[in-house]
Amino acid sequence: MSFQPTFPGLFSPSQGATPVQPNAAQAAAPLPATQKQLAYAKTLAAKSKQPLPDNIAADRAALSKWIDAHKAPAPRGRFSEYPSSKQVGFAERIARLKRSEVPPECFRDRTLMSRWIDSNKPR
């Protein structure tokens, strides 16, 4: 026999669970930028010698778009399509758990490695 506590009126059968509705002021207000975002944006602004837009710290999404537009592109080189060391380590741990091997072609393409990880990671 198990004990099941009851909470009268919390979830009555006729009512069911009611979703939480934020009020209009909370739904319209954007989230403020994080300290790490601001520090990175200030570094980018100093490197590019461009000022940060006014009131950008009040909107996390707007600051993220500004950072994406002003950051340097990822370097393209001979090994840019190879998986990262973290991807390789994670894939090898999964393979050890499943007592299998990571296919050799996955070590030469980050997209293949990502797909292999997604299809084999423990759920």
Side-chain angles (χ1 to χ4, degrees):
M1 186 159 107
S2 65
F3 175 73
Q4 295 180 349
T6 58
F7 301 101
L10 184 62
F11 296 110
S12 62
S14 62
Q15 174 187 347
T18 57
V20 176
Q21 298 291 333
N23 61 25
Q26 288 175 337
L31 291 172
T34 65
Q35 292 299 320
K36 286 186 178 184
Q37 269 185 318
L38 286 171
Y40 185 56
K42 288 177 184 176
T43 303
L44 286 176
K47 284 182 182 177
S48 65
K49 295 183 174 80
Q50 293 180 354
L52 282 173
D54 295 334
N55 297 328
I56 193 98
D59 189 1
R60 184 179 296 181
L63 183 58
S64 182
K65 287 179 186 175
W66 187 90
I67 288 172
D68 288 342
H70 290 85
K71 71 180 180 182
R76 304 295 302 168
R78 182 174 163 197
F79 300 107
S80 62
E81 292 301 316
Y82 279 44
S84 68
S85 60
K86 288 186 177 186
Q87 272 184 311
V88 171
F90 188 50
E92 288 175 342
R93 268 184 297 187
I94 292 170
R96 252 191 324 273
L97 286 171
K98 293 198 164 216
R99 297 176 188 221
S100 64
E101 291 186 11
V102 180
E105 60 271 9
C106 290
F107 291 102
R108 292 185 293 276
D109 186 4
R110 73 174 51 236
T111 306
L112 284 176
M113 182 66 83
S114 179
R115 288 181 185 159
W116 187 88
I117 289 171
D118 288 342
S119 64
N120 286 286
K121 67 182 170 186
R123 308 246 181 245

